[in-house]
């Protein structure tokens, strides 16, 4: 769900909290080396057995982490911060809020999908074969109402009444859109 940049920004934001400029500079150096290693491994076509990860994604994440660690280092240097505080990083906070909004939207969409699936579990889909005479009647009614035969049958089924003795009937009605 998250891009390589999203993953990098989230991890750097969490890991950088409370670090001073020297520690962040070490993280930049580490990210530089890891970016170079993963890019080289990707060029050679080798796998990352220690991670069992997609080599392209891992290389992209390390490239993004390198860029994000440099951004944090530059921000701290320009702002004169003694330690990185994620709350003071307006750009990082904006990105974090955006990720959270997207995550919330994705979770809401998933919940709606699951609700639809639960509802669909109670639905009935049937293929109905009618003999010629009832089929002609249903088609004629559907034509007059401007519907397709399946819509007329759906309206019939929605109006079914089952009496106490098990008799099934449909009160008179006019099919409509």
């Amino acid at each position: 769900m998250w891009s390589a940049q999203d993953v990098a920004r989230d991890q750097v934001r969490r890991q950088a909290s409370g670090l001073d400029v020297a520690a962040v500079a070490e993280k930049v150096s580490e990210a530089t080396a890891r970016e170079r290693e993963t890019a080289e491994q990707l060029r050679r076509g080798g796998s990352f057995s220690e991670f069992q990860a997609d080599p392209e994604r891992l290389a992209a994440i390390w490239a993004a982490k390198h860029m994000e660690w440099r951004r944090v280092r530059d921000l701290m240097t320009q702002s004169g911060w003694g330690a990185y505080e994620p709350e003071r990083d307006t750009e990082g906070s904006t990105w974090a809020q955006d990720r959270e909004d997207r995550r919330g939207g994705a979770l809401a969409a998933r919940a709606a999908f699951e609700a639809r699936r639960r509802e669909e579990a109670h639905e009935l889909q049937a293929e109905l074969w009618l003999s010629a005479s009832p089929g002609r009647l249903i088609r004629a009614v559907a034509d007059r109402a401007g519907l397709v035969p399946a819509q007329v049958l759906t309206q019939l089924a929605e109006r079914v009444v089952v009496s106490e003795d098990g008799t099934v009937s449909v009160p008179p009605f006019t099919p409509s859109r």
Side-chain angles (χ1 to χ4, degrees), residues 13 15-16 51 62-63 80 100 129 135 145 148 164-165 176:
R13 186 174 170 81
Q15 292 172 4
F51 297 106
W62 274 107
E100 227 12 75
W129 292 88
V148 294
E164 289 179 14
D165 66 354
S176 61

Side-chain angles (χ1 to χ4, degrees), residues 54-118:
D54 173 18
E56 290 179 11
R57 177 141 174 93
L58 190 58
I61 288 172
W62 274 107
K65 279 185 180 182
H66 181 209
M67 189 171 17
E68 184 63 9
W69 278 115
R70 285 192 333 233
R71 186 192 71 79
V72 168
R73 180 200 58 203
D74 295 347
L75 173 67
M76 290 177 67
T77 303
Q78 290 170 0
S79 302
W81 294 355
Y84 179 73
E85 297 175 39
E87 315 73 49
R88 292 175 61 191
D89 180 358
T90 55
E91 189 172 3
S93 295
T94 300
W95 287 334
Q97 184 59 49
D98 180 51
R99 278 190 308 277
E100 227 12 75
D101 292 347
R102 282 187 283 138
R103 180 180 177 274
L107 290 174
R110 179 66 184 184
F113 172 75
E114 290 298 326
R116 281 192 308 273
R117 284 191 59 212
R118 281 192 302 276

Side-chain angles (χ1 to χ4, degrees), residues 32-177:
T32 302
R34 296 293 293 190
E35 178 184 18
R36 188 173 36 254
E37 290 169 7
T38 56
E40 177 65 28
Q41 192 72 20
L42 185 60
R43 275 191 296 280
R44 283 185 292 177
S47 66
F48 296 99
S49 59
E50 65 188 88
F51 297 106
Q52 295 299 323
D54 173 18
E56 290 179 11
R57 177 141 174 93
L58 190 58
I61 288 172
W62 274 107
K65 279 185 180 182
H66 181 209
M67 189 171 17
E68 184 63 9
W69 278 115
R70 285 192 333 233
R71 186 192 71 79
V72 168
R73 180 200 58 203
D74 295 347
L75 173 67
M76 290 177 67
T77 303
Q78 290 170 0
S79 302
W81 294 355
Y84 179 73
E85 297 175 39
E87 315 73 49
R88 292 175 61 191
D89 180 358
T90 55
E91 189 172 3
S93 295
T94 300
W95 287 334
Q97 184 59 49
D98 180 51
R99 278 190 308 277
E100 227 12 75
D101 292 347
R102 282 187 283 138
R103 180 180 177 274
L107 290 174
R110 179 66 184 184
F113 172 75
E114 290 298 326
R116 281 192 308 273
R117 284 191 59 212
R118 281 192 302 276
E119 184 63 32
E120 288 172 356
H122 299 292
E123 291 179 1
L124 173 66
Q125 290 188 357
E127 187 171 319
L128 181 63
W129 292 88
L130 297 173
S131 62
S133 180
R136 278 191 298 273
L137 284 172
I138 294 294
R139 276 195 293 279
V141 169
D143 284 343
R144 275 186 293 204
L147 302 170
V148 294
Q151 291 172 313
V152 172
L153 291 171
T154 299
Q155 290 182 25
L156 270 169
E158 290 171 346
R159 291 170 171 79
V160 166
V161 177
V162 181
S163 64
E164 289 179 14
D165 66 354
T167 308
V168 177
S169 64
V170 177
F173 75 99
T174 303
S176 61
R177 288 182 189 237

